[in-house]
Amino acid sequence: MEVQIAVAKVNKYATSESGDTLEVVERPNGGLSVVLADGQTSGRGAKAISLAVVRKVIGLLAEGVRDGAAARAASDALFTDRQGKVISTLNIASVDLSSRTIVLTRNNPAPIFICRGEEIDCLDQESIPLGTSLNIRPVITEIGIEPGLVIVIYTDGVIHAGKRRGLPMDVAATLRSILEDQDPGPQTLADILLAQAVSLDENRPADDISVLVLKVTSRVGDNVRRMSVRLPIEGFGK
Amino acid sequence: MEVQIAVAKVNKYATSESGDTLEVVERPNGGLSVVLADGQTSGRGAKAISLAVVRKVIGLLAEGVRDGAAARAASDALFTDRQGKVISTLNIASVDLSSRTIVLTRNNPAPIFICRGEEIDCLDQESIPLGTSLNIRPVITEIGIEPGLVIVIYTDGVIHAGKRRGLPMDVAATLRSILEDQDPGPQTLADILLAQAVSLDENRPADDISVLVLKVTSRVGDNVRRMSVRLPIEGFGK
């Protein structure tokens, strides 16, 4: 089997810093974790918050702290630092090779979609962001790693997309239409969802938008781990 | 323009943990850094060392510490912790959007290749690994970001490849033959170099091998940052 992870990420229109921070780290007992935080507001202040949350979580995961405990610690630290005045959403998606599961940790009102074939489940239990009070509880979902599994996670930029025109995005419907027709790779899926959100915002995103897609395939390959990053650079030569 | 980064990474034959650790982090003043460390020996002990080095460097970069200072600090910390008995190589490749340069920091006897069109330069000044003594000096190279630039970095698994059969790899010749014929993407380039090293080891890598390729293209795109990760999972269902 192979776990494939893809991310597509765009800044709020006319801002150079994204309030969304995403990082991938290796887990000390095998596997990896993707950590995605969205700091309140946008621009430089939001970036500092989401970076601090992601660093805190990554540092704890690296020490072998469990995902839920890392999320709680990051929340308490943010609350203590900012007295509840600043909040941040957090999603952790871990491929845990010791438990052989995918562990999803969510402190984010935005739902997570779990797809198996054409069956699409929406994880939308109430979930509040980090930093609102002490002892915030993350919503944790653990799923066996099996071929065909597709998991879709996003920040609230997707939820806000199109809202100023009264045309919010129906993520479930979009997912259904894509998954019915094709067996898309995770990057294609992330790109399509992001492109739709940006298009609903008339190509001027009202917020930072990040889409994370995790897919398990039955591919039997060469045991090579691969990673690629593409970073567009604006305004060069001006 | 777009900076594209690709990594291909394989474990030493019959080991489940790689002594090579690679992580990508956002820089607080814009851009990103790729941090690659190779801990002495292989397996679990080496993993712990390279993970600790990468964490230390990432934590400092996140605070805005400059790359060279982060490398020195990681070296001093390793030396203090292990009294010079354990060493680790380190490469940092940073896309620094504030200076608009690529900054290469190297504490690794393995060279770095810088390619522009068919011109291939080898950065092979003497460079020693972290942890050998206090106050280790990294070799730092700063290059303007310009389309066509290709940078190739690897761990010593590439250098050891084929040696037990007296058939060491000629990375420069391989690069020349690939770059003369095609304009390959960075993932293709990393995959070809890794495949050649693995093949010289008769498909049983004598060491962990990591290849990192950074390429600057003139692509004018959609301002979307993209990342993808592929993690093969062995031994499931056994």
Side-chain angles (χ1 to χ4, degrees), chain B residues 173-185:
Chain B
T174 304
L175 275 175
R176 192 165 295 115
S177 73
I178 305 170
L179 294 171
E180 264 175 12
D181 289 347
Q182 322 151 31
D183 183 26

Side-chain angles (χ1 to χ4, degrees), chain A residues 123-142:
Chain A
L123 301 184
D124 59 357
Q125 309 95 311
E126 189 188 357
S127 172
I128 53 175
L130 307 187
T132 43
S133 68
L134 285 175
N135 205 19
I136 288 296
R137 186 186 297 269
V139 177
I140 295 181
T141 309
E142 198 162 358

Side-chain angles (χ1 to χ4, degrees), chain A residues 5 7 26 47 227 229 231, chain B residues 3 5 7 26 47 227 229:
Chain A
I5 295 166
V7 179
E26 293 194 39
K47 182 80 211 169
M227 178 165 64
V229 177
L231 175 72
Chain B
V3 178
I5 295 165
V7 179
E26 294 193 38
K47 184 77 209 171
M227 178 165 64
V229 178

Side-chain angles (χ1 to χ4, degrees), chain A residues 233-238, chain B residues 1 97 99-100 145-147:
Chain A
I233 299 180
E234 293 172 82
F236 258 61
K238 280 183 186 168
Chain B
M1 283 196 293
L97 296 184
S99 64
R100 303 195 161 199
I145 299 177
E146 53 175 349

Side-chain angles (χ1 to χ4, degrees), chain A residues 12 15 29-30 64 130 167 171 205:
Chain A
K12 178 178 174 176
T15 60
N29 297 312
L130 307 187
L167 293 169
V171 177

Side-chain angles (χ1 to χ4, degrees), chain A residues 21-232:
Chain A
T21 296
L22 181 141
E23 281 176 19
V24 179
V25 288
E26 293 194 39
R27 294 175 71 82
N29 297 312
L32 53 82
S33 294
V34 188
V35 182
L36 172 62
D38 177 8
Q40 203 173 31
T41 75
S42 61
R44 210 168 164 90
K47 182 80 211 169
I49 293 156
S50 62
L51 254 181
V53 166
V54 168
R55 294 298 163 191
K56 184 81 187 169
V57 171
I58 284 175
L60 292 167
L61 295 180
E63 291 169 11
V65 172
R66 292 171 61 91
D67 298 29
R72 285 166 188 253
S75 183
D76 285 356
L78 181 61
F79 181 81
T80 303
D81 193 35
R82 304 298 190 101
Q83 297 104 40
K85 288 176 190 145
V86 173
I87 63 176
S88 171
T89 66
L90 173 70
N91 287 94
I92 310 173
S94 294
V95 182
D96 185 339
L97 295 184
S98 57
S99 64
R100 304 198 159 196
T101 56
I102 290 168
V103 181
L104 303 173
T105 301
R106 175 173 148 257
N107 279 102
N108 190 348
I112 294 176
F113 287 91
I114 313 280
C115 318
R116 294 179 182 87
E118 291 179 16
E119 183 197 328
I120 299 177
D121 292 327
C122 180
L123 301 184
D124 59 357
Q125 309 95 311
E126 189 188 357
S127 172
I128 53 175
L130 307 187
T132 43
S133 68
L134 285 175
N135 205 19
I136 288 296
R137 186 186 297 269
V139 177
I140 295 181
T141 309
E142 198 162 358
I143 306 169
I145 299 177
E146 53 175 350
L149 183 68
V150 174
I151 297 170
V152 178
I153 295 171
Y154 46 85
T155 56
D156 65 357
V158 170
I159 293 176
H160 297 149
K163 277 214 176 144
R164 64 184 164 199
R165 294 195 297 150
L167 293 169
M169 183 160 162
D170 184 341
V171 177
T174 303
L175 274 175
R176 191 164 296 117
S177 73
I178 306 169
L179 295 171
E180 264 175 15
D181 288 349
Q182 321 151 33
D183 182 26
Q187 190 70 62
T188 304
L189 207 44
D191 284 355
I192 292 174
L193 290 167
L194 181 75
Q196 191 179 3
V198 169
S199 143
L200 287 169
D201 272 341
E202 298 174 286
N203 297 318
R204 297 182 168 196
D207 192 2
D208 308 312
I209 309 176
S210 302
V211 179
L212 161 64
V213 177
L214 191 151
K215 181 171 181 171
V216 184
T217 72
S218 53
R219 179 177 181 277
V220 178
D222 45 13
N223 288 328
V224 176
R225 285 190 182 201
R226 293 183 170 85
M227 178 165 64
S228 74
V229 177
R230 290 169 57 182
L231 175 72

